Amino acid sequence: MSDPRNNGGPAFPAPYGYYEDGTYVFRSNGGMTLRDYFAAKVMATMSSADYHANYGVADVALMAYAQADAMIAERANP
């Protein structure tokens, strides 16, 4: 089952192309989601602030994604 949360779409979609039956076809690999990108940035900050001393790594990951979800929600409601 897919996650119903808004993942923000791709953070860094990278176009690529290939030939198929003599025709060049453009596609995008999608890249990581904006939610993953935000969470990674939050986790980096939390790691440098020594959150791991007070919380387990799973808790830090949950908090990072909660912050990422709040950032995406705020983008949708400026």
Side-chain angles (χ1 to χ4, degrees), residues 8-73:
F12 304 106
Y16 70 93
Y18 58 91
Y19 282 97
E20 184 175 285
D21 297 328
T23 303
Y24 197 71
V25 179
F26 286 100
R27 296 282 187 254
S28 173
N29 71 359
M32 76 165 85
T33 67
L34 193 55
R35 182 174 185 255
D36 289 334
Y37 178 73
F38 284 164
K41 291 293 191 177
V42 171
M43 282 188 77
T45 301
M46 294 171 91
S47 294
S48 68
D50 204 24
Y51 273 77
H52 292 287
N54 298 314
Y55 301 98
V57 289
D59 293 327
V60 172
L62 288 172
M63 289 186 281
Y65 273 104
Q67 183 67 38
D69 291 339
M71 294 167 74
I72 289 172

